[in-house]
């Protein structure tokens, strides 16, 4: 009995040691957990000396509410009708120089001369002519030449030359020599004859068919007109030469010859 009563003793001493061991482990674990806690370690002077200082962290900004999306306005639909291209504006035409001289003739291609300078052939229009008095000559092969003084200015001057038509229109300023004295007037010739126009009583008209003599003496500076079976008229002028009398005589004789050829 005494042996049985003392057997449980060692069993209780083993359990007590185990409990003490477990308690020590729990205390050691608590201390370790305490030492490794972040908050507690910062207060430890050793860790505070070794760890770098922490930067202050700014508080996060409050989120800004996003605006509610607005409904976009619908874009206007394009006009299906295509726009017509604008018509180009025509450029202003350059001003055209108006003709100052026009020469025509019943014989095409007649040569036109102004102051002995060739201008062209008929029909002719020219704006490149100086203003003033000019001598116009028109000639065609096989026909008598045409000559006239023309005065050109800002308005058109038209000259129509009729080579196929017989015409005579010439004049010269003369002095009619009388048996006693003289008088001054205009000696004019046309298809009706020779006419002396003067304020004196010696004015006359003589048909071409009644002219018996029609002569010019260039050296004597005299033009003689003799009526068939009638009077004789002598004329001169105050020019230095007898050129004007010579031209008058030539034009009259050319027409007399052409009229005689038609008979």
């Amino acid at each position: 009995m005494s042996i049985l009563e003392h057997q449980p003793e060692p069993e209780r001493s083993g359990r007590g040691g185990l409990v003490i061991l477990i308690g020590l482990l729990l205390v050691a674990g608590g201390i370790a957990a305490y030492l490794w806690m972040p908050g507690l370690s910062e207060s430890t002077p050793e860790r505070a000396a070794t760890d770098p200082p922490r930067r202050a962290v700014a508080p996060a900004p409050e989120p800004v509410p996003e605006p509610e999306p607005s409904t976009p306005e619908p874009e206007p639909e394009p006009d299906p009708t295509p726009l017509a291209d604008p018509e180009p504006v025509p450029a202003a035409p350059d001003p055209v120089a108006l003709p100052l001289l026009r020469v025509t003739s019943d014989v095409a291609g007649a040569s036109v001369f102004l102051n002995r300078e060739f201008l062209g052939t008929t029909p002719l229009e020219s704006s490149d002519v100086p203003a003033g008095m000019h001598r116009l000559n028109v000639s065609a092969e096989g026909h008598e030449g045409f000559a006239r003084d023309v005065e050109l200015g800002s308005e058109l001057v038209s000259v129509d030359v009729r080579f196929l038509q017989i015409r005579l229109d010439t004049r010269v300023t003369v002095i009619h020599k009388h048996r006693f004295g003289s008088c001054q007037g205009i000696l004019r010739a046309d298809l009706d004859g020779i006419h002396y126009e003067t304020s004196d009583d010696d004015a006359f008209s003589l048909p071409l068919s009644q002219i018996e003599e029609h002569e010019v003496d260039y050296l004597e500076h005299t033009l003689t007109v003799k009526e068939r079976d009638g009077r004789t008229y002598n004329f001169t002028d105050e020019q230095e030469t007898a050129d004007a009398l010579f031209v008058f005589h030539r034009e009259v004789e050319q027409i007399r010859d052409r009229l005689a050829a038609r008979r």
Side-chain angles (χ1 to χ4, degrees), residues 27-236:
V27 172
I31 294 172
Y34 176 79
L35 294 177
W36 287 99
M37 289 181 62
L40 295 178
S41 64
E42 291 181 359
S43 61
T44 307
E46 292 81 359
R47 295 187 61 87
T50 58
D51 293 343
R54 296 187 179 184
R55 297 180 180 178
V57 179
E62 296 182 0
V64 179
E66 297 182 359
E68 296 181 1
S70 58
T71 304
E73 297 182 359
E75 296 182 358
E77 296 182 0
D79 189 357
T81 304
L83 297 178
D85 295 335
E87 296 183 359
V89 179
D94 295 334
V96 179
L98 298 177
L100 300 178
L101 175 64
R102 177 185 295 136
V103 182
T104 57
S105 64
D106 56 358
V107 176
S111 300
V112 180
F113 298 85
L114 192 67
N115 300 330
R116 298 183 179 180
E117 293 185 3
F118 179 70
L119 291 184
T121 57
T122 58
L124 178 141
E125 287 188 351
S126 177
S127 58
D128 188 19
V129 289
M133 189 67 68
H134 304 275
R135 186 66 173 177
L136 175 67
N137 293 85
V138 185
S139 60
E141 185 177 358
H143 301 276
E144 298 294 335
F146 171 87
R148 176 182 294 180
D149 292 330
V150 293
E151 185 174 3
L152 303 178
S154 59
E155 297 182 358
L156 174 66
V157 175
S158 296
V159 178
D160 185 24
V161 181
R162 298 282 129 183
F163 291 105
L164 303 179
Q165 177 183 353
I166 298 177
R167 64 181 181 180
L168 177 63
D169 185 11
T170 184
R171 63 185 62 201
V172 62
T173 301
V174 296
I175 297 175
H176 180 209
K177 297 187 295 183
H178 304 163
R179 179 176 298 179
F180 302 101
S182 62
C183 64
Q184 187 172 1
I186 300 294
L187 193 62
R188 181 175 60 85
D190 55 24
L191 293 179
D192 293 331
I194 293 179
H195 316 277
Y196 178 57
E197 300 171 351
T198 181
S199 58
D200 197 79
D201 293 338
D202 288 340
F204 68 88
S205 291
L206 183 62
L208 295 180
S209 60
Q210 296 299 316
I211 297 176
E212 180 179 350
E213 181 182 348
H214 181 234
E215 299 292 341
V216 60
D217 190 329
Y218 192 87
L219 296 179
E220 294 294 331
H221 212 121
T222 302
L223 175 67
T224 301
V225 178
K226 183 179 185 302
E227 181 180 5
R228 191 181 303 276
D229 300 329
R231 293 182 56 184
T232 300
Y233 304 92
N234 295 310
F235 300 92
T236 186

